[in-house]
Amino acid sequence: MTKLNICVLPGDGIGPEVTKEAVRILRFVAESQGYDFRFTERAIGGTAIRQFGSALPQETVETCVKSNAVLLGAVGSPEFDSLPSKEKPEAGLLGIRKALGGFANLRPAKAYPAIADCSPIKAEVLGKADIMFVRELLGGLYFGQPRGFEGNRDSAFNTMRYSVEEIERVGRVAFELARKRKKKVTSVDKANVLEVSQLWREVITMLGKEYPDVKLDHMYVDACSMRLITHPTTFDVVLTENLFGDILTDEAAALCGSLGMLSSATIGGNIDLYEPVHGSAPDIAGKGIANPLGAIASAAMMLRHTAKLEDDARDIEDAIREVLEAGYRTADLAKPKSKWVLSTSDMGKMVENKLSEALDRRRAYHAV
Ligand code: IPM
Ligand code: MN
C-alpha cells in the first residue's frame, strides 16, 4: 500500500513534539520512495477538552474511521486529575481504541547494545533481549462492567471479564507472531487466584494445540515481572491481558534503557492505531527534550503492519539503531560522558539523515 491517509492525534504533553518527528520521517519516506501519504490532524485528550469540551470529539472519531491508520502521541494531563474517569483525557484514548476496534496491542521491547548502559540491569543479563509483548487492549479491568463508586465513595469496584472469544482472538495474534520469530509464547496470568486467568489459561492451552510448532509456557504475572529482570533473554512473545500488559511493558521499557524508546501497534480492528508506549510526560512537555524514537518506531510499525512496506519499516528501524550506535542521545538516554545530547527535533533530523544515507547507498548499489 503506497497510498495512506493517516490521521494524526498529537494529544497532550510531549505528544505533539514526538509525533511531529514521526510525521517528518513518514513524509521523508513518502517523498524519497514516491509514495502518497496524507496527514490530517485532529484533537484528543486534554487538548480536546480545552478546545471542544470533550476528550474525544465526534470529528476526531469520524476522521479516524475514514483513514487508513492513526498515529497518536500521548494523552493525559494533571490539570484534569479531579475529573471523573469518563471525562478525563484518558477516556479519549480508551474511546478511540474502542472505536477503531484493534484488540491486539503489539509492543516490541528490544535491547540496543549501544544504549545498554542506560539499562538498570547489567549488560550481560540484558544481552540481546528481544521481546514482543501482545497486550489485549479492549477488555479486562479497563472496560469491564459494572464499575464505579458506592455509597459516599466509601467503596469502589471494577470488573475483570474476558470471554473465550476475546482470549482466543488475541491469542491467535501471539501465536502467529511467534511463528515468524523464535516460536515461543509465554502466556501471563494470575491463574492461582483469578477465575478470569483460569479461563485465559484453558483457552490459550487449547489454542496452542493448533500451533504445535510453537512452544507455549504459562507464567504468573508476579513471576513474570521478576523473570523479566533476571532473565530477559529467555522471552520471545509474551501474551497477556490488558492491565498486566500495561504494567509489564513499562518494566520492559525501563529494562531496554528508556520508556521513550518503545513503540506500539494496535491491530485486529477496522483501523490500526500506532502510538509510543510512553505517556504525556507533563514534566518535560514543551522543552524540546523528549525522546521521539518510540514515536518514530511506531511509524515504522505502521509501514510494516498497515502499509505492508516491510523494507521501509526496516530502514527506519536500522536508522534508529545507527543513530544510537553513532552516539547520539536524547536527555533520557544521556550520561555525563555522552558527546551528543540532541533535542527532540534534532533527533528526528538525525534519523532522517541516516535514512537518507541508507537510501543513497542502496541507489548507488543498484546503479552499478
Ligand atoms: C498506555 C497508557 C494508557 C493505558 C493510559 C494512558 C490510559 O498507560 O498506553 O500504556 O493504560 O493503556
Ligand atoms: Mn501504560
Side-chain angles (χ1 to χ4, degrees):
M1 216 161 150
T2 56
K3 242 180 122 161
L4 282 184
N5 281 315
I6 302 164
C7 183
V8 182
L9 309 176
D12 304 326
I14 60 169
E17 300 163 52
V18 298
T19 39
K20 194 169 163 207
E21 300 315 311
V23 169
R24 176 203 298 280
I25 298 302
L26 287 171
R27 280 193 201 282
F28 179 78
V29 171
E31 250 166 59
S32 47
Q33 303 283 65
Y35 304 151
D36 182 5
F37 295 170
R38 298 186 189 182
F39 302 87
T40 314
E41 210 172 287
R42 290 288 179 263
I44 196 166
T47 318
I49 300 179
R50 259 178 251 121
Q51 257 187 297
F52 301 101
S54 153
L56 187 59
Q58 195 51 38
E59 196 198 15
T60 298
V61 180
E62 277 164 17
T63 308
C64 286
V65 297
K66 276 192 267 169
S67 57
N68 301 108
V70 177
L71 177 69
L72 184 139
V75 155
S77 164
E79 186 188 331
F80 303 106
D81 276 354
S82 58
L83 290 181
S85 302
K86 270 193 223 154
E87 294 167 29
K88 278 192 202 297
E90 286 79 358
L93 177 54
L94 299 181
I96 197 67
R97 285 177 180 168
K98 192 158 192 186
L100 301 181
F103 52 82
N105 180 219
L106 279 40
R107 297 187 159 188
K110 201 171 166 161
Y112 291 95
I115 53 165
D117 61 345
C118 297
S119 175
I121 66 170
K122 295 187 200 86
E124 65 264 31
V125 177
L126 181 62
K128 288 195 182 142
D130 179 1
I131 311 173
M132 175 62 86
F133 287 86
V134 178
R135 169 190 177 194
E136 200 292 327
L137 206 66
L138 287 186
L141 286 166
Y142 278 63
F143 292 93
Q145 294 289 346
R147 62 190 291 164
F149 291 95
E150 264 173 343
N152 190 20
R153 287 175 87 92
D154 44 19
S155 70
F157 58 100
N158 289 89
T159 303
M160 188 189 266
R161 186 190 299 277
Y162 272 104
S163 68
V164 170
E165 193 205 328
E166 286 173 299
I167 301 168
E168 207 180 291
R169 65 183 187 175
V170 72
R172 247 178 230 293
V173 172
F175 281 107
E176 294 291 338
L177 278 169
R179 275 198 167 152
K180 294 188 205 138
R181 297 173 46 102
K182 287 183 234 133
K183 297 191 168 48
K184 183 174 170 192
V185 169
T186 304
S187 175
V188 177
D189 61 41
K190 188 68 185 170
N192 49 345
V193 179
L194 304 175
E195 283 78 5
V196 179
S197 287
Q198 289 154 20
L199 184 68
W200 182 282
R201 203 174 265 224
E202 276 166 39
V203 172
I204 298 302
T205 303
M206 284 296 291
L207 189 63
K209 298 197 198 311
E210 289 182 36
Y211 297 86
D213 51 322
V214 177
K215 183 175 168 355
L216 171 65
D217 282 343
H218 300 277
M219 203 178 277
Y220 296 140
V221 62
D222 49 354
C224 179
S225 73
M226 182 186 67
R227 262 192 94 75
L228 276 172
I229 296 180
T230 56
H231 297 80
T233 57
T234 59
F235 293 96
D236 179 22
V237 174
V238 174
L239 164 67
T240 189
E241 68 89 45
N242 205 344
L243 180 65
F244 297 161
D246 180 42
I247 298 169
L248 294 177
T249 51
D250 266 31
E251 184 188 355
L255 277 183
C256 294
S258 167
L259 191 48
M261 294 295 301
L262 256 62
S263 58
S264 92
T266 305
I267 60 168
N270 289 330
I271 313 287
D272 300 334
L273 169 66
Y274 298 88
E275 45 175 323
V277 169
H278 64 70
S280 58
D283 52 324
I284 58 161
K287 295 189 178 161
I289 58 169
N291 183 347
L293 296 178
I296 293 173
S298 302
M301 292 189 89
M302 179 187 293
L303 298 188
R304 168 170 301 122
H305 294 282
T306 298
K308 312 287 178 210
L309 295 169
E310 175 63 30
D311 289 348
D312 297 298
R314 201 158 289 173
D315 282 348
I316 296 175
E317 289 162 354
D318 286 347
I320 292 174
R321 185 178 36 77
E322 283 171 27
V323 164
L324 295 173
E325 281 169 0
Y328 298 104
R329 303 286 182 264
T330 38
D332 54 317
L333 302 171
K335 296 277 160 197
K337 63 177 193 310
S338 299
K339 268 192 288 187
W340 296 290
V341 182
L342 305 185
S343 68
T344 309
S345 58
D346 283 345
M347 186 51 113
K349 286 179 200 152
M350 197 51 78
V351 175
E352 183 180 316
N353 286 345
K354 291 282 173 203
L355 204 51
S356 155
E357 281 170 28
L359 287 173
D360 287 349
R361 273 200 305 271
R362 197 174 313 152
R363 287 205 188 98
Y365 175 82
H366 284 297
V368 291

